[in-house]
Amino acid sequence: MRLTGGRMTKRLMRHIVLIGMMGAGKTAIGTDIARRLQVPFTDSDAEIEAAAAMTITEIFARDGETFFRAREAQVLARLLTGTPGVISTGGGAWMQAGNRTLIAANGMSVWLNCDPELLWNRVRQRTTRPLLQTADPKGTLLRLLAERSPVYAEAELEFVSHEGDSIERSAARLIAQLRAADPGLFKETS
Ligand code: S3P
């Protein structure tokens, strides 16, 4: 996939893989950076839902989390073999060692790190996250964040979301950070 800026044509050399908690903005920011970079955007949750013709909630309810994690790993492996683009992953995907290995081999992992209160404000009204259908959803979210953060921190790049930043502002800042972190991420072709 190519992107043209003036007379310059650049090619994305490996996937940009967004990881992090539910509500961190992976899909929203991912969609925007893919549009700016003119590369494909895929969302592992959406791909799982399309393949199963069921929602994530229905998959968890009918087949359980273990089944979902197996589908998630299969979908990720497929997406990672495609044309380099932006891939948004479900919040638990990075917790599987096999997924981390595959992502590292095929892409640049980016942890979208976000303030816990901001995460909570974004997910509290939604009923689409089966892991948060508990008696104390905020407590569950904070526990998952505490458990997962040290593993998320293994990502190649950490992007800290700022409260009040628009999607567009975050996307522009992330692209600048990506370029600085890996000057070889884009290859110029004339
Ligand atoms: C999950 C996050 C969800 C989805 C599933 C499990 C998790 O994706 O994959 O509900 O384990 O954190 P988002 O991070 O896109 O909400």
Side-chain angles (χ1 to χ4, degrees):
M1 192 55 58
R2 283 154 195 284
L3 90 103
T4 310
R7 287 176 13 239
M8 229 162 32
T9 303
K10 292 194 173 191
R11 192 154 57 97
L12 180 62
M13 300 309 289
R14 55 189 177 130
H15 293 282
I16 296 164
V17 185
L18 303 182
I19 68 150
M21 284 295 285
M22 313 171 232
K26 298 174 301 248
T27 302
I29 295 175
T31 304
D32 204 66
I33 63 171
R35 182 184 56 79
R36 287 164 189 255
L37 299 173
Q38 297 179 26
V39 298
F41 171 78
T42 45
D43 180 318
S44 65
D45 284 341
E47 296 285 326
I48 295 165
E49 290 185 328
M54 281 195 281
T55 64
I56 302 288
T57 304
E58 288 166 347
I59 298 171
F60 267 75
R62 198 187 82 170
D63 303 308
E65 182 173 353
T66 306
F67 177 90
F68 171 79
R69 295 297 174 202
R71 295 289 86 76
E72 183 176 54
Q74 283 173 347
V75 161
L76 257 180
R78 173 169 62 76
L79 297 181
L80 286 163
T81 60
T83 307
V86 179
I87 301 174
S88 166
T89 65
W94 182 255
M95 301 308 290
Q96 314 296 317
N99 292 342
R100 292 198 294 278
T101 304
L102 259 185
I103 292 169
N106 296 282
M108 180 174 196
S109 52
V110 181
W111 175 25
L112 294 197
N113 191 2
C114 197
D115 177 72
E117 287 301 320
L118 188 53
L119 289 178
W120 172 240
N121 281 329
R122 287 186 184 152
V123 300
R124 62 189 303 170
Q125 308 293 359
R126 306 266 173 90
T127 54
T128 51
R129 270 112 177 179
L131 292 183
L132 298 182
Q133 303 306 305
T134 64
D136 175 18
K138 187 173 184 185
T140 305
L141 182 78
L142 297 180
R143 179 182 52 78
L144 285 172
L145 177 64
E147 282 170 14
R148 291 174 174 183
S149 289
V151 188
Y152 288 150
E154 293 174 20
E156 197 173 329
L157 188 72
E158 177 184 353
F159 176 81
V160 180
S161 279
H162 296 161
E163 189 163 5
D165 263 7
S166 63
I167 302 294
E168 293 73 21
R169 213 177 153 92
S170 297
R173 193 160 56 83
L174 176 51
I175 290 174
Q177 215 177 307
L178 288 167
R179 290 189 199 282
D182 178 7
L185 189 58
F186 298 96
K187 190 173 164 195
E188 280 187 33
T189 51
S190 52

